Amino acid sequence: MRNILLLILFLNVATYAQVVTVEDKATQNPLELVSVYNSDPNRALLTGSNGKVDIGKLDRSKPIIFRLIGYERIGLTFSQIKENNFVVLMEQTAISLDNVVVSSNRWEENKSEIPNTIEVITQRDVDFENPQTTADMLGMSANVFIQKSQLGGGSPMIRGFATNRLLIVVDGVRMNTAIFRSGNLQNVISLDANSLDHTEVIFGPGSVIYGSDAIAGVMSFYTFSPRLSMGDNVIFNASAMTRYSSADQEKTGHLHFNIGTNKWGFLTSVTYSDFDNLVMGSNGPDDFLRPTYQDRINEHDTVIVNPDPKEQIESGYNQLSLMQKILFKPVDEWTFEYGFYYSTTSDYSRYDRLLCPRGNTLRSAEWYYGPQDCMMNALTVINYSSNSIYDLSKLILAYQNFKESRHDRNLNKVNKTNNTEKVDAFSLNLDLIKDINETSNLFYGVEIVLDKVESTGNSENIITGEITPGPTRYPDGSTWNSFGTYVTYKNKFSPQYIMQTGLRYNYVTLNADFDTTFYPFPFTSAELRTGALTGSAGLVWHPQSDWQINLNLSTGFRAPNVDDLGKVFDSEPGSVVVPNPNLKPEYAYNIELGVMKVFSRIAEFDVTGYYTYLDDAFVRRDYVLNGRDSIVYSGELSRVQAIQNAANAYIWGVELALDLNIAEYFNFRSNFNYQKGKEEDNAGDTVPLRHAAPWFGKTELIFRKDKFEADLYAVYNGEIKNEDLAPSEISKDYLYAKDDNGNVYCPSWYTLNLKMSYQLLDNFELYFSVENITDQRYRPYSSGISAAGRNFIGSLRFNL
């Protein structure tokens, strides 16, 4: 009897606890975060830091898939795994159509089945590239252009659009708020690149799934999640990093660690960075130098000659990022994950405004942002059990609090203007999948977003300290609410043809009450009620296993927000801007065609062409209020104007990528982007599209052997001539170089760079880089600060 019980126990353990170790074929190092599953990547198991995973709960009668970005996808039967003594070896490759899983529909899917163009940035990419901020991380992909008004910034541009026409999503929660403006935004730096598991950049409209603002793209960031142990033991994993950069004396430290049992997981992440003034390069236009800077000496504003014009005085700042996550998995069918996210900065200068001249001196004595505080609490509940309504469901409840402030004072003036904005944002996302049959399924869900804006303003006398009330930037107490529902249908007609179609309806409300204390508005409130219907249809065709052809038709929308309707006092002499309750969403209509071809395992070539038309774009035009085209405003007869759906814009472009294995240890990679666009300005004239970047690209030669990796690469940007600059850019002539005729233009530039890494021991990795080797002096398009000159970067990482 005892022998029978032991046999039953052995069989039970063999069935439910079968541990597999996944290793790198070349180095035999264990591979972490390998997805292991039968057919549905949303039900994947993940390997731990030791490369181990228990596959006892997978179906042994079906192939078992092992997938990790940067490695060849493997499908093995249980018998094959057993013959290899439960050790799976994975081989590195950058060339494959089928080694990436993405979440463009808010659930994981094979990239080879998605008609969208999607860029994936992995944790390994971040470790090797060592970006200082998340904006720098996006820029390293060579498909996203980054504008910077100051060192503490980074405003992404994607396919000719930027700011509130792009959507930021963190762990499934939208970060765009009711006060996201059309001017350059720096909010993406609130995210800590060192806490990201991976990032997906979805190019083209994504409004069907993600709602308002997803006109030109979605940047979706996925942070680390807690790990559970495979048995009754407690696991502990940790990673620490320290980094130094010479160009801005950057000093960064990062630590994250995980404690896990078989039901509970706890993950903590902390990053602190300190940046000094950024030093630009030596070889380039003298227009970018900073010959003078402002300071206050003995109670007097003074313009001082800069002893080193390459040093960009008042550009430094510091930043702290925290994240805490708790995972609870009481049974296999349910997971509960709570996340707390917090980021704050020191005060940091609006550097481009410090350069603005007035006559023969500088305009501003000080112009800076207060700490940019971002806090989020999110609870994610996933149910893996199937029923008649869904096969998978995910509920995300989130609360976010944002705080930002602006402080400016003109030279030799004693009064400083202070404006502070706070946004409370509540959101609910419910996303579900239902399999109709083996070849088709539905993705559907609802989203609710509730934003409330607090806005205060005052004037501060810097001599006496007296503070008097002042006008607010936005109507205090404004609310912006969005209610949306979507459905997407996916059908695999055959292994060669996959179709996706989707629809979404959004209803948006906005309420604002205006204070007439400082401005004699002829109104006291504004209301907006509007809806938006968007759709998409895409086809993926695999003529052969090494070909993929994508055709995608999609629409995107941006609903009016508080920034559009509430900044009434952005008036000019002789005119006043009033709210327009008939304002409706602006729409983007997009078509793109992409072709990907793999040549054996030697090369991969991608080309994508796209065209986007923006209709009903917001623009300021003459308006009629209560039957009158002019009203008395501040004692002056002023023309009535309002933000209206009266403009359009278009953008077209080409994206090219080549990946080539040229020898056993050598890989060649190149990306190139070209775009061109036009838009209507406030006067109704057709002008160059402001956020259409110059052509840009990146070319790399990569060497990998055993524990060593090196990347020699060039980054390059084209020129924008004076006649091709948007009028809004020409007006900021102090930020640009001058051509031979004395006209402002954006010069072309390039940098040569070298990055290296070496695994010292099993737990230590050393990184060393030299950026901008030739010490070029350049300023990326539309930026207010010059880029770093020759920059030496050293980093040490410890993994346990």
Side-chain angles (χ1 to χ4, degrees), residues 551-571:
L551 176 63
N552 196 38
L553 307 174
S554 55
T555 60
F557 78 96
R558 185 174 79 83
N561 64 17
V562 173
D563 185 83
D564 299 311
L565 216 65
K567 290 197 324 189
V568 176
F569 24 87
D570 272 2
S571 305

mmCIF file of all heavy atoms in Angstrom, residues 551-571:
data_model
loop_
_atom_site.group_PDB
_atom_site.id
_atom_site.type_symbol
_atom_site.label_atom_id
_atom_site.label_comp_id
_atom_site.label_asym_id
_atom_site.label_seq_id
_atom_site.Cartn_x
_atom_site.Cartn_y
_atom_site.Cartn_z
ATOM 1 N N LEU A 551 -1.399 45.767 -45.027
ATOM 2 C CA LEU A 551 -2.194 46.889 -45.524
ATOM 3 C C LEU A 551 -3.133 47.308 -44.411
ATOM 4 O O LEU A 551 -3.887 46.484 -43.890
ATOM 5 C CB LEU A 551 -2.992 46.503 -46.766
ATOM 6 C CG LEU A 551 -3.936 47.586 -47.316
ATOM 7 C CD1 LEU A 551 -3.139 48.813 -47.773
ATOM 8 C CD2 LEU A 551 -4.782 47.043 -48.459
ATOM 9 N N ASN A 552 -3.075 48.585 -44.038
ATOM 10 C CA ASN A 552 -3.873 49.032 -42.904
ATOM 11 C C ASN A 552 -4.548 50.363 -43.210
ATOM 12 O O ASN A 552 -3.908 51.315 -43.660
ATOM 13 C CB ASN A 552 -2.979 49.183 -41.662
ATOM 14 C CG ASN A 552 -3.789 49.260 -40.380
ATOM 15 O OD1 ASN A 552 -4.794 48.574 -40.233
ATOM 16 N ND2 ASN A 552 -3.345 50.076 -39.449
ATOM 17 N N LEU A 553 -5.848 50.402 -43.007
ATOM 18 C CA LEU A 553 -6.652 51.620 -43.102
ATOM 19 C C LEU A 553 -7.169 51.927 -41.705
ATOM 20 O O LEU A 553 -7.747 51.047 -41.049
ATOM 21 C CB LEU A 553 -7.823 51.440 -44.059
ATOM 22 C CG LEU A 553 -7.507 50.936 -45.473
ATOM 23 C CD1 LEU A 553 -8.797 50.682 -46.232
ATOM 24 C CD2 LEU A 553 -6.654 51.956 -46.214
ATOM 25 N N SER A 554 -6.982 53.163 -41.238
ATOM 26 C CA SER A 554 -7.391 53.461 -39.871
ATOM 27 C C SER A 554 -7.728 54.934 -39.726
ATOM 28 O O SER A 554 -7.269 55.783 -40.494
ATOM 29 C CB SER A 554 -6.282 53.083 -38.880
ATOM 30 O OG SER A 554 -5.064 53.725 -39.221
ATOM 31 N N THR A 555 -8.535 55.215 -38.732
ATOM 32 C CA THR A 555 -8.863 56.592 -38.384
ATOM 33 C C THR A 555 -8.509 56.821 -36.924
ATOM 34 O O THR A 555 -8.536 55.898 -36.100
ATOM 35 C CB THR A 555 -10.348 56.906 -38.607
ATOM 36 O OG1 THR A 555 -11.142 56.032 -37.786
ATOM 37 C CG2 THR A 555 -10.731 56.710 -40.058
ATOM 38 N N GLY A 556 -8.167 58.059 -36.606
ATOM 39 C CA GLY A 556 -7.901 58.442 -35.233
ATOM 40 C C GLY A 556 -8.595 59.752 -34.931
ATOM 41 O O GLY A 556 -9.005 60.490 -35.834
ATOM 42 N N PHE A 557 -8.758 60.075 -33.654
ATOM 43 C CA PHE A 557 -9.415 61.317 -33.290
ATOM 44 C C PHE A 557 -8.782 61.904 -32.037
ATOM 45 O O PHE A 557 -8.125 61.209 -31.261
ATOM 46 C CB PHE A 557 -10.915 61.107 -33.066
ATOM 47 C CG PHE A 557 -11.266 60.491 -31.730
ATOM 48 C CD1 PHE A 557 -11.630 61.294 -30.650
ATOM 49 C CD2 PHE A 557 -11.229 59.113 -31.552
ATOM 50 C CE1 PHE A 557 -11.956 60.727 -29.426
ATOM 51 C CE2 PHE A 557 -11.549 58.538 -30.326
ATOM 52 C CZ PHE A 557 -11.911 59.349 -29.263
ATOM 53 N N ARG A 558 -8.965 63.199 -31.907
ATOM 54 C CA ARG A 558 -8.593 63.896 -30.673
ATOM 55 C C ARG A 558 -9.753 64.776 -30.269
ATOM 56 O O ARG A 558 -10.153 65.682 -31.016
ATOM 57 C CB ARG A 558 -7.333 64.728 -30.843
ATOM 58 C CG ARG A 558 -6.867 65.357 -29.523
ATOM 59 C CD ARG A 558 -5.542 66.063 -29.661
ATOM 60 N NE ARG A 558 -5.662 67.375 -30.260
ATOM 61 C CZ ARG A 558 -5.980 68.474 -29.589
ATOM 62 N NH1 ARG A 558 -6.264 68.410 -28.294
ATOM 63 N NH2 ARG A 558 -6.041 69.640 -30.204
ATOM 64 N N ALA A 559 -10.304 64.507 -29.095
ATOM 65 C CA ALA A 559 -11.420 65.302 -28.594
ATOM 66 C C ALA A 559 -10.894 66.586 -27.963
ATOM 67 O O ALA A 559 -9.800 66.606 -27.394
ATOM 68 C CB ALA A 559 -12.215 64.494 -27.570
ATOM 69 N N PRO A 560 -11.642 67.685 -28.051
ATOM 70 C CA PRO A 560 -11.218 68.933 -27.409
ATOM 71 C C PRO A 560 -11.026 68.728 -25.907
ATOM 72 O O PRO A 560 -11.810 68.027 -25.257
ATOM 73 C CB PRO A 560 -12.377 69.892 -27.689
ATOM 74 C CG PRO A 560 -13.104 69.291 -28.846
ATOM 75 C CD PRO A 560 -12.934 67.818 -28.733
ATOM 76 N N ASN A 561 -9.970 69.312 -25.362
ATOM 77 C CA ASN A 561 -9.740 69.221 -23.926
ATOM 78 C C ASN A 561 -9.733 70.609 -23.295
ATOM 79 O O ASN A 561 -10.036 71.606 -23.954
ATOM 80 C CB ASN A 561 -8.456 68.439 -23.627
ATOM 81 C CG ASN A 561 -7.204 69.134 -24.144
ATOM 82 O OD1 ASN A 561 -7.205 70.321 -24.452
ATOM 83 N ND2 ASN A 561 -6.114 68.383 -24.240
ATOM 84 N N VAL A 562 -9.393 70.678 -22.023
ATOM 85 C CA VAL A 562 -9.435 71.948 -21.300
ATOM 86 C C VAL A 562 -8.417 72.936 -21.868
ATOM 87 O O VAL A 562 -8.660 74.145 -21.908
ATOM 88 C CB VAL A 562 -9.196 71.705 -19.795
ATOM 89 C CG1 VAL A 562 -9.063 73.025 -19.040
ATOM 90 C CG2 VAL A 562 -10.335 70.871 -19.211
ATOM 91 N N ASP A 563 -7.281 72.437 -22.331
ATOM 92 C CA ASP A 563 -6.290 73.323 -22.927
ATOM 93 C C ASP A 563 -6.837 73.983 -24.195
ATOM 94 O O ASP A 563 -6.551 75.146 -24.468
ATOM 95 C CB ASP A 563 -5.015 72.539 -23.250
ATOM 96 C CG ASP A 563 -3.899 73.431 -23.760
ATOM 97 O OD1 ASP A 563 -3.199 74.035 -22.939
ATOM 98 O OD2 ASP A 563 -3.746 73.535 -24.993
ATOM 99 N N ASP A 564 -7.616 73.243 -24.983
ATOM 100 C CA ASP A 564 -8.184 73.802 -26.210
ATOM 101 C C ASP A 564 -9.260 74.847 -25.921
ATOM 102 O O ASP A 564 -9.338 75.876 -26.591
ATOM 103 C CB ASP A 564 -8.810 72.686 -27.054
ATOM 104 C CG ASP A 564 -7.803 71.643 -27.481
ATOM 105 O OD1 ASP A 564 -6.743 72.033 -27.992
ATOM 106 O OD2 ASP A 564 -8.072 70.439 -27.287
ATOM 107 N N LEU A 565 -10.079 74.551 -24.921
ATOM 108 C CA LEU A 565 -11.242 75.402 -24.698
ATOM 109 C C LEU A 565 -11.020 76.454 -23.618
ATOM 110 O O LEU A 565 -11.702 77.472 -23.589
ATOM 111 C CB LEU A 565 -12.443 74.527 -24.303
ATOM 112 C CG LEU A 565 -13.802 74.969 -24.834
ATOM 113 C CD1 LEU A 565 -13.818 74.861 -26.352
ATOM 114 C CD2 LEU A 565 -14.910 74.101 -24.243
ATOM 115 N N GLY A 566 -10.053 76.208 -22.731
ATOM 116 C CA GLY A 566 -9.959 77.032 -21.538
ATOM 117 C C GLY A 566 -8.966 78.159 -21.568
ATOM 118 O O GLY A 566 -9.046 79.070 -20.742
ATOM 119 N N LYS A 567 -7.991 78.122 -22.502
ATOM 120 C CA LYS A 567 -6.975 79.181 -22.508
ATOM 121 C C LYS A 567 -7.499 80.402 -23.273
ATOM 122 O O LYS A 567 -6.999 80.790 -24.316
ATOM 123 C CB LYS A 567 -5.676 78.672 -23.122
ATOM 124 C CG LYS A 567 -4.989 77.657 -22.229
ATOM 125 C CD LYS A 567 -3.543 77.387 -22.520
ATOM 126 C CE LYS A 567 -3.138 77.398 -23.925
ATOM 127 N NZ LYS A 567 -1.756 76.919 -24.123
ATOM 128 N N VAL A 568 -8.520 81.025 -22.719
ATOM 129 C CA VAL A 568 -9.188 82.151 -23.367
ATOM 130 C C VAL A 568 -8.277 83.369 -23.431
ATOM 131 O O VAL A 568 -8.332 84.154 -24.368
ATOM 132 C CB VAL A 568 -10.486 82.499 -22.612
ATOM 133 C CG1 VAL A 568 -11.147 83.721 -23.197
ATOM 134 C CG2 VAL A 568 -11.420 81.319 -22.626
ATOM 135 N N PHE A 569 -7.384 83.505 -22.449
ATOM 136 C CA PHE A 569 -6.589 84.724 -22.356
ATOM 137 C C PHE A 569 -5.351 84.668 -23.229
ATOM 138 O O PHE A 569 -4.475 85.504 -23.123
ATOM 139 C CB PHE A 569 -6.178 84.966 -20.908
ATOM 140 C CG PHE A 569 -6.168 83.718 -20.091
ATOM 141 C CD1 PHE A 569 -5.063 82.905 -20.045
ATOM 142 C CD2 PHE A 569 -7.306 83.347 -19.403
ATOM 143 C CE1 PHE A 569 -5.074 81.743 -19.303
ATOM 144 C CE2 PHE A 569 -7.315 82.176 -18.661
ATOM 145 C CZ PHE A 569 -6.195 81.376 -18.608
ATOM 146 N N ASP A 570 -5.237 83.692 -24.111
ATOM 147 C CA ASP A 570 -4.190 83.708 -25.128
ATOM 148 C C ASP A 570 -4.632 84.644 -26.242
ATOM 149 O O ASP A 570 -4.723 84.258 -27.400
ATOM 150 C CB ASP A 570 -3.947 82.294 -25.664
ATOM 151 C CG ASP A 570 -2.916 81.559 -24.820
ATOM 152 O OD1 ASP A 570 -2.439 82.113 -23.832
ATOM 153 O OD2 ASP A 570 -2.608 80.429 -25.165
ATOM 154 N N SER A 571 -4.965 85.856 -25.894
ATOM 155 C CA SER A 571 -5.467 86.825 -26.862
ATOM 156 C C SER A 571 -4.354 87.760 -27.288
ATOM 157 O O SER A 571 -3.323 87.874 -26.638
ATOM 158 C CB SER A 571 -6.625 87.629 -26.260
ATOM 159 O OG SER A 571 -7.639 86.764 -25.799
#
